[in-house]
Amino acid sequence: MKIIAIANQKGGVGKTTTAVNLAACLAAKRKQILLVDLDPQANATSALGVTETGGKSMYGPLIGQSAAADQIIATRFANLWMIPGDINLAGAEIEVARQEDHLLRLRNALEPLREQAPLDYIVLDCPPSLGILMTNALAAADEILVPIQCEYFALEGLSKIDSVIHQIADGGINPGLAMTGIVMTMFDSRTNLSSQVVAEVRNHFGDKVYKTMIPRTVRLGEAPSFGKPIIEYEPIGAGSIAYNALAKEFITRHAAQAS
Ligand SMILES: Nc1ncnc2c1ncn2[C@@H]1O[C@H](COP(=O)(O)OP(=O)(O)O)[C@@H](O)[C@H]1O
Ligand SMILES: [Mg+2]
């Protein structure tokens, strides 16, 4: 089992869209997936059409009041489970900071799931800030997948997340941690800008950048408001093709690493 944090402290770059759709596509390919919504805005939760959370979220486990396993709900998709997001997570930012081992709260809370749950991947949808929740996600993760929007200033801020990753890795909290994957999102083939940004990011990060690029499509933007991942909302379309290809590339990369 591997824990993948979908992280970038910038908002609106496609973290949640990638977390939800990668999770849904991996589940459709029979991987056992737990999607954890760490954003108090709970966009990943609503994007999956989960409206009844029963008060479940990572809030309790983060402050040591409940077990992560008890926060898991089934989704209407085979092989896909979720721990919903909740506005209480905003409070966790402050409360967790007061706890002992405040950087390791999430890691410790998820640890039992490595043994208990027959999962292939836990996908963490991170909030758009370098706060406690995101730092906890980085400390808990085996890998970080960074979505980058094909826009001006795409690389801006990446040095910040990179230095936090190094602090966490070098500080011994999570020694193996690295920015292992980059996904280019909202690619617009009609503009030179998108291609220029992709060239710049590939130049900078080389093989870390997934070959699959996620196009900007109206349907991908609409799907969350219907509470549907793209493979349900528009099974045959550019968005589904892209996220299925990303899931396939993800699986291939991990199979290569394992052997
Ligand atoms: N490939 C895409 N094409 C069109 N709209 C997209 C695409 N990816 C994301 N969006 C939209 O852009 C906005 C920001 O995306 P989101 O995934 O929520 O970013 P983040 O989680 O990084 O803040 C959302 O309204 C989302 O629906
Ligand atoms: Mg988000």
Side-chain angles (χ1 to χ4, degrees), residues 33-64:
I33 306 295
L34 174 66
L35 175 63
V36 179
D37 189 348
L38 285 176
D39 190 339
Q41 307 254 352
N43 292 332
T45 305
S46 54
L48 263 189
V50 174
T51 47
E52 282 306 315
T53 64
K56 291 179 192 278
S57 80
M58 279 310 289
Y59 175 74
L62 282 168
I63 60 166

Tab-separated table of all heavy atoms in Angstrom, residues 33-64:
chain	number	residue	atom	x	y	z
A	33	ILE	N	-8.845	1.632	-3.548
A	33	ILE	CA	-8.451	3.023	-3.312
A	33	ILE	C	-9.223	3.636	-2.150
A	33	ILE	O	-10.445	3.488	-2.047
A	33	ILE	CB	-8.749	3.891	-4.566
A	33	ILE	CG1	-8.109	3.297	-5.834
A	33	ILE	CG2	-8.293	5.332	-4.346
A	33	ILE	CD1	-6.605	3.261	-5.847
A	34	LEU	N	-8.483	4.353	-1.301
A	34	LEU	CA	-9.121	5.200	-0.291
A	34	LEU	C	-8.757	6.648	-0.611
A	34	LEU	O	-7.576	7.013	-0.621
A	34	LEU	CB	-8.626	4.832	1.112
A	34	LEU	CG	-9.112	5.748	2.247
A	34	LEU	CD1	-10.622	5.651	2.441
A	34	LEU	CD2	-8.389	5.421	3.554
A	35	LEU	N	-9.770	7.447	-0.893
A	35	LEU	CA	-9.565	8.873	-1.147
A	35	LEU	C	-9.833	9.620	0.152
A	35	LEU	O	-10.901	9.486	0.746
A	35	LEU	CB	-10.525	9.343	-2.248
A	35	LEU	CG	-10.547	10.833	-2.576
A	35	LEU	CD1	-9.198	11.308	-3.118
A	35	LEU	CD2	-11.641	11.136	-3.606
A	36	VAL	N	-8.846	10.393	0.601
A	36	VAL	CA	-8.996	11.142	1.852
A	36	VAL	C	-9.049	12.634	1.535
A	36	VAL	O	-8.112	13.194	0.959
A	36	VAL	CB	-7.815	10.853	2.818
A	36	VAL	CG1	-7.970	11.656	4.102
A	36	VAL	CG2	-7.738	9.363	3.134
A	37	ASP	N	-10.154	13.253	1.888
A	37	ASP	CA	-10.339	14.677	1.623
A	37	ASP	C	-9.835	15.460	2.837
A	37	ASP	O	-10.471	15.475	3.893
A	37	ASP	CB	-11.820	14.959	1.377
A	37	ASP	CG	-12.072	16.372	0.871
A	37	ASP	OD1	-11.130	17.203	0.921
A	37	ASP	OD2	-13.206	16.656	0.444
A	38	LEU	N	-8.673	16.106	2.666
A	38	LEU	CA	-8.064	16.853	3.779
A	38	LEU	C	-8.389	18.337	3.728
A	38	LEU	O	-7.877	19.114	4.527
A	38	LEU	CB	-6.546	16.680	3.747
A	38	LEU	CG	-5.991	15.343	4.226
A	38	LEU	CD1	-4.480	15.324	4.039
A	38	LEU	CD2	-6.358	15.099	5.695
A	39	ASP	N	-9.219	18.734	2.765
A	39	ASP	CA	-9.518	20.154	2.594
A	39	ASP	C	-10.825	20.490	3.314
A	39	ASP	O	-11.842	19.852	3.059
A	39	ASP	CB	-9.635	20.456	1.090
A	39	ASP	CG	-9.702	21.945	0.801
A	39	ASP	OD1	-10.054	22.721	1.718
A	39	ASP	OD2	-9.409	22.326	-0.339
A	40	PRO	N	-10.789	21.482	4.236
A	40	PRO	CA	-12.012	21.878	4.928
A	40	PRO	C	-13.134	22.261	3.953
A	40	PRO	O	-14.313	22.196	4.298
A	40	PRO	CB	-11.593	23.093	5.754
A	40	PRO	CG	-10.110	23.041	5.832
A	40	PRO	CD	-9.617	22.263	4.650
A	41	GLN	N	-12.757	22.665	2.737
A	41	GLN	CA	-13.770	23.019	1.725
A	41	GLN	C	-14.501	21.783	1.204
A	41	GLN	O	-15.545	21.909	0.571
A	41	GLN	CB	-13.098	23.705	0.534
A	41	GLN	CG	-12.238	24.869	0.907
A	41	GLN	CD	-12.889	26.191	0.552
A	41	GLN	OE1	-13.921	26.229	-0.101
A	41	GLN	NE2	-12.279	27.268	0.992
A	42	ALA	N	-13.905	20.605	1.408
A	42	ALA	CA	-14.545	19.326	1.062
A	42	ALA	C	-14.961	19.224	-0.408
A	42	ALA	O	-15.982	18.622	-0.725
A	42	ALA	CB	-15.740	19.060	1.988
A	43	ASN	N	-14.171	19.799	-1.285
A	43	ASN	CA	-14.518	19.737	-2.716
A	43	ASN	C	-14.456	18.325	-3.278
A	43	ASN	O	-15.262	17.959	-4.134
A	43	ASN	CB	-13.577	20.632	-3.543
A	43	ASN	CG	-13.785	22.097	-3.252
A	43	ASN	OD1	-14.881	22.504	-2.867
A	43	ASN	ND2	-12.748	22.900	-3.405
A	44	ALA	N	-13.497	17.531	-2.811
A	44	ALA	CA	-13.386	16.158	-3.321
A	44	ALA	C	-14.605	15.342	-2.890
A	44	ALA	O	-15.083	14.482	-3.629
A	44	ALA	CB	-12.096	15.500	-2.820
A	45	THR	N	-15.093	15.631	-1.704
A	45	THR	CA	-16.257	14.919	-1.173
A	45	THR	C	-17.490	15.210	-2.028
A	45	THR	O	-18.180	14.290	-2.469
A	45	THR	CB	-16.492	15.353	0.292
A	45	THR	OG1	-15.271	15.138	1.014
A	45	THR	CG2	-17.609	14.566	0.943
A	46	SER	N	-17.725	16.486	-2.308
A	46	SER	CA	-18.900	16.808	-3.116
A	46	SER	C	-18.704	16.402	-4.579
A	46	SER	O	-19.650	16.011	-5.246
A	46	SER	CB	-19.267	18.291	-2.990
A	46	SER	OG	-18.167	19.096	-3.279
A	47	ALA	N	-17.457	16.430	-5.043
A	47	ALA	CA	-17.206	16.026	-6.436
A	47	ALA	C	-17.503	14.544	-6.658
A	47	ALA	O	-17.775	14.119	-7.777
A	47	ALA	CB	-15.763	16.329	-6.834
A	48	LEU	N	-17.452	13.758	-5.577
A	48	LEU	CA	-17.805	12.338	-5.704
A	48	LEU	C	-19.289	12.112	-5.428
A	48	LEU	O	-19.767	10.986	-5.430
A	48	LEU	CB	-16.990	11.490	-4.720
A	48	LEU	CG	-15.740	10.811	-5.243
A	48	LEU	CD1	-15.196	9.852	-4.195
A	48	LEU	CD2	-16.007	10.042	-6.536
A	49	GLY	N	-20.000	13.185	-5.175
A	49	GLY	CA	-21.430	13.077	-4.935
A	49	GLY	C	-21.781	12.599	-3.546
A	49	GLY	O	-22.905	12.179	-3.293
A	50	VAL	N	-20.804	12.680	-2.624
A	50	VAL	CA	-21.072	12.266	-1.241
A	50	VAL	C	-21.710	13.443	-0.509
A	50	VAL	O	-21.082	14.489	-0.335
A	50	VAL	CB	-19.773	11.837	-0.527
A	50	VAL	CG1	-20.025	11.555	0.947
A	50	VAL	CG2	-19.175	10.620	-1.213
A	51	THR	N	-22.968	13.290	-0.126
A	51	THR	CA	-23.649	14.387	0.566
A	51	THR	C	-23.862	14.038	2.041
A	51	THR	O	-23.863	14.917	2.891
A	51	THR	CB	-25.013	14.699	-0.096
A	51	THR	OG1	-25.702	13.471	-0.297
A	51	THR	CG2	-24.814	15.396	-1.433
A	52	GLU	N	-24.039	12.745	2.334
A	52	GLU	CA	-24.216	12.310	3.722
A	52	GLU	C	-22.891	11.773	4.255
A	52	GLU	O	-22.493	10.656	3.939
A	52	GLU	CB	-25.290	11.214	3.798
A	52	GLU	CG	-26.707	11.743	3.711
A	52	GLU	CD	-26.987	12.827	4.743
A	52	GLU	OE1	-26.600	12.645	5.921
A	52	GLU	OE2	-27.550	13.867	4.372
A	53	THR	N	-22.204	12.569	5.055
A	53	THR	CA	-20.906	12.119	5.550
A	53	THR	C	-21.033	11.508	6.943
A	53	THR	O	-20.080	10.907	7.445
A	53	THR	CB	-19.897	13.275	5.628
A	53	THR	OG1	-20.374	14.216	6.588
A	53	THR	CG2	-19.729	13.950	4.271
A	54	GLY	N	-22.194	11.688	7.573
A	54	GLY	CA	-22.372	11.180	8.930
A	54	GLY	C	-21.347	11.771	9.894
A	54	GLY	O	-20.987	11.153	10.891
A	55	GLY	N	-20.875	12.966	9.574
A	55	GLY	CA	-19.901	13.627	10.454
A	55	GLY	C	-18.517	13.004	10.397
A	55	GLY	O	-17.648	13.331	11.203
A	56	LYS	N	-18.301	12.114	9.440
A	56	LYS	CA	-16.993	11.463	9.368
A	56	LYS	C	-15.986	12.352	8.644
A	56	LYS	O	-16.311	12.995	7.651
A	56	LYS	CB	-17.118	10.121	8.646
A	56	LYS	CG	-17.892	9.087	9.462
A	56	LYS	CD	-18.015	7.793	8.696
A	56	LYS	CE	-19.026	6.851	9.334
A	56	LYS	NZ	-18.480	6.094	10.455
A	57	SER	N	-14.771	12.391	9.174
A	57	SER	CA	-13.667	13.100	8.525
A	57	SER	C	-12.387	12.741	9.274
A	57	SER	O	-12.433	12.005	10.260
A	57	SER	CB	-13.878	14.622	8.569
A	57	SER	OG	-13.517	15.145	9.840
A	58	MET	N	-11.262	13.296	8.832
A	58	MET	CA	-9.993	13.046	9.533
A	58	MET	C	-9.846	13.900	10.784
A	58	MET	O	-8.847	13.778	11.493
A	58	MET	CB	-8.801	13.285	8.592
A	58	MET	CG	-8.496	12.126	7.654
A	58	MET	SD	-8.367	10.508	8.468
A	58	MET	CE	-6.812	10.672	9.354
A	59	TYR	N	-10.813	14.763	11.053
A	59	TYR	CA	-10.686	15.647	12.211
A	59	TYR	C	-10.455	14.860	13.508
A	59	TYR	O	-9.487	15.123	14.228
A	59	TYR	CB	-11.932	16.531	12.327
A	59	TYR	CG	-11.924	17.398	13.565
A	59	TYR	CD1	-11.092	18.508	13.634
A	59	TYR	CD2	-12.726	17.101	14.665
A	59	TYR	CE1	-11.062	19.301	14.769
A	59	TYR	CE2	-12.709	17.888	15.796
A	59	TYR	CZ	-11.874	18.986	15.855
A	59	TYR	OH	-11.848	19.762	16.977
A	60	GLY	N	-11.337	13.905	13.776
A	60	GLY	CA	-11.210	13.097	15.006
A	60	GLY	C	-9.868	12.390	15.107
A	60	GLY	O	-9.156	12.534	16.109
A	61	PRO	N	-9.494	11.625	14.071
A	61	PRO	CA	-8.193	10.947	14.116
A	61	PRO	C	-7.018	11.917	14.296
A	61	PRO	O	-6.064	11.603	15.010
A	61	PRO	CB	-8.112	10.240	12.755
A	61	PRO	CG	-9.539	10.020	12.370
A	61	PRO	CD	-10.297	11.183	12.908
A	62	LEU	N	-7.101	13.098	13.691
A	62	LEU	CA	-5.984	14.048	13.789
A	62	LEU	C	-5.801	14.558	15.213
A	62	LEU	O	-4.675	14.822	15.644
A	62	LEU	CB	-6.198	15.229	12.832
A	62	LEU	CG	-5.874	14.948	11.366
A	62	LEU	CD1	-6.392	16.071	10.477
A	62	LEU	CD2	-4.367	14.769	11.179
A	63	ILE	N	-6.908	14.712	15.926
A	63	ILE	CA	-6.752	15.202	17.298
A	63	ILE	C	-6.796	14.052	18.306
A	63	ILE	O	-6.917	14.265	19.511
A	63	ILE	CB	-7.793	16.293	17.660
A	63	ILE	CG1	-9.229	15.747	17.543
A	63	ILE	CG2	-7.624	17.528	16.769
A	63	ILE	CD1	-10.248	16.649	18.214
A	64	GLY	N	-6.711	12.830	17.796
A	64	GLY	CA	-6.572	11.669	18.674
A	64	GLY	C	-7.864	11.218	19.321
A	64	GLY	O	-7.860	10.550	20.347
